[in-house]
Amino acid sequence: MEAVKNLNGEMWIFAFLLIAIVVLQACWFLRLALRYNKKHNYFTKEEVGHLLKMGSVSVLGPAFSVVVVAISLIAMVGSGLTFMRVGVIGAAGYEMMIATTAAETIGVQFNTPEFNESVLVLCGFGMAFASIPYFISTPIELMIMDKAAAKGILHKNNAAHKKSAMTLKLNSVG
């Protein structure tokens, strides 16, 4: 596919910039989470270390399945665009579906002469626009979780608070 070869070099520039932003954002979230934990003492330092190790290991399994699907996505839209999209969202199957849908919307199939630079850019924009719901839902969900956590802290500090059903279940089992 000539279009993928022509635009792949330029895609790497944007891919590295976007992945750098994602890495900085992840570090920022980790810093905020560690600060929040330090302020409210949810977990001890040993528990935080254990949780970081456990989280790191639990990421590896799903990452292998993404790599397998990403290999086929590389054949469709090139390595630069694949690295950029899968590095941000991590859902190669979803990205492949969106790229296919974007191309088929204008009547073009992958691996055909009609698949040119314009169609590749359309696929890139389609994949980018398809991730907008992630950026909308994340702040809303975080706001709800923050309110729930703050409410839990208020109840924790009040000795006369009513225990939640989850606490009752845990106490009855243990």
Side-chain angles (χ1 to χ4, degrees), residues 18-172:
L18 190 61
I19 296 300
I21 291 170
V22 170
V23 169
L24 289 172
Q25 187 180 32
C27 293
W28 181 50
F29 282 152
L30 177 63
R31 193 177 107 228
L32 287 174
L34 291 174
R35 262 194 211 163
Y36 188 84
N37 182 55
K38 188 175 182 179
K39 181 179 177 183
H40 298 291
N41 294 321
Y42 278 128
F43 301 105
T44 65
K45 284 187 178 184
E46 293 79 24
E47 289 173 327
V48 169
H50 178 71
L51 291 169
L52 286 172
K53 288 177 191 172
M54 186 172 59
S56 300
V57 170
S58 68
V59 166
L60 293 176
F64 286 124
S65 66
V66 170
V67 167
V68 170
V69 179
I71 291 170
S72 59
L73 188 61
I74 289 171
M76 292 171 54
V77 295
S79 56
L81 188 56
T82 299
F83 176 67
M84 181 169 51
R85 296 304 308 153
V86 174
V88 173
I89 302 301
Y94 179 69
E95 297 292 327
M96 189 163 55
M97 178 191 71
I98 296 300
T100 303
T101 303
E104 288 177 354
T105 300
I106 58 170
V108 176
Q109 297 289 324
F110 284 97
N111 293 326
T112 61
E114 293 85 26
F115 191 88
N116 57 22
E117 287 87 354
S118 299
V119 178
L120 180 62
V121 170
L122 174 72
C123 291
F125 274 106
M127 290 186 286
F129 286 135
S131 60
I132 288 174
Y134 294 114
F135 296 111
I136 293 171
S137 69
T138 301
I140 294 168
E141 291 169 3
L142 288 175
M143 181 181 64
I144 292 169
M145 287 189 283
D146 282 346
K147 286 181 180 179
K151 191 175 182 181
I153 291 168
L154 290 174
H155 285 303
K156 185 178 176 182
N157 294 336
N158 183 359
H161 77 277
K162 182 179 176 183
K163 290 186 178 182
S164 70
M166 182 61 86
T167 306
L168 294 174
K169 285 182 183 177
L170 291 175
N171 289 339
S172 65

